[in-house]
Amino acid sequence: MEKKYEFLYKIKDVLKDRAFEGVPLGSKFDESRFEDIRIIDDTGYPIYSFNNMELEIIDDLIYRIGICCDESVLIDDVVKIFGDTEFKTYEQFTFVSYMYDFCVINFKFVGLDAPAIDISICSTMFMD
């Protein structure tokens, strides 16, 4: 199996594990659980950098896991693994999102034929 598909299946595993690479989405944030974690932004809600991920914290809970995309993941690859969905385009960016009961998995692309530049897994606990 190609590396990019392994990567996408690892993201899809969040649906059964409720965690990505051992980081549990929506759980209480405890900085001592993570080695080499550093804060990269604290303009309201802190964002930490850890192991090629960004962790956004709201009310001491892990709200968003941002994932570095090292593989050349295209929209067609995402659809192949996650299924059909609606694409949304704003200015030069195209977003492909999948909504589940406890999370939203969002892929961000610069255009339709470019690789993903951002992947986020967000908890739905703060959504109405």
Side-chain angles (χ1 to χ4, degrees):
M1 179 183 304
E2 284 185 63
K3 245 183 139 176
K4 65 182 171 183
Y5 294 121
E6 288 177 19
F7 175 70
L8 288 170
Y9 277 117
K10 190 164 39 167
I11 294 169
K12 194 171 184 178
D13 282 347
V14 169
L15 300 177
K16 61 181 174 197
D17 301 338
R18 294 187 179 243
F20 180 77
E21 292 192 353
V23 177
L25 185 66
S27 71
K28 182 160 177 47
F29 177 69
D30 179 3
E31 192 172 337
S32 67
R33 286 183 32 206
F34 304 99
E35 288 183 31
D36 301 325
I37 194 165
R38 62 187 173 80
I39 195 161
I40 57 173
D41 188 10
D42 195 4
T43 56
Y45 298 110
I47 299 175
Y48 292 84
S49 177
F50 167 73
N51 210 23
N52 261 348
M53 292 182 268
E54 287 183 355
L55 305 179
E56 186 172 349
I57 312 304
I58 297 179
D59 293 339
D60 291 326
L61 300 173
I62 299 172
Y63 165 70
R64 182 183 69 85
I65 301 171
I67 305 165
C68 260
C69 188
D70 296 336
E71 305 303 321
S72 293
V73 174
L74 302 173
I75 289 175
D76 289 343
D77 301 323
V78 172
V79 170
K80 180 177 180 177
I81 303 303
F82 286 86
D84 286 330
T85 191
E86 187 177 312
F87 302 166
K88 292 187 172 51
T89 301
Y90 301 102
E91 298 178 4
Q92 75 268 30
F93 300 111
T94 299
F95 297 89
V96 179
S97 300
Y98 295 89
M99 182 84 151
Y100 302 98
D101 62 338
F102 69 94
C103 74
V104 175
I105 301 175
N106 189 55
F107 297 85
K108 180 179 179 183
F109 301 87
V110 180
L112 294 173
D113 297 323
I117 60 168
D118 184 59
I119 301 170
S120 293
I121 306 168
C122 297
S123 171
T124 58
M125 66 178 34
F126 296 106
M127 295 181 182
D128 291 335

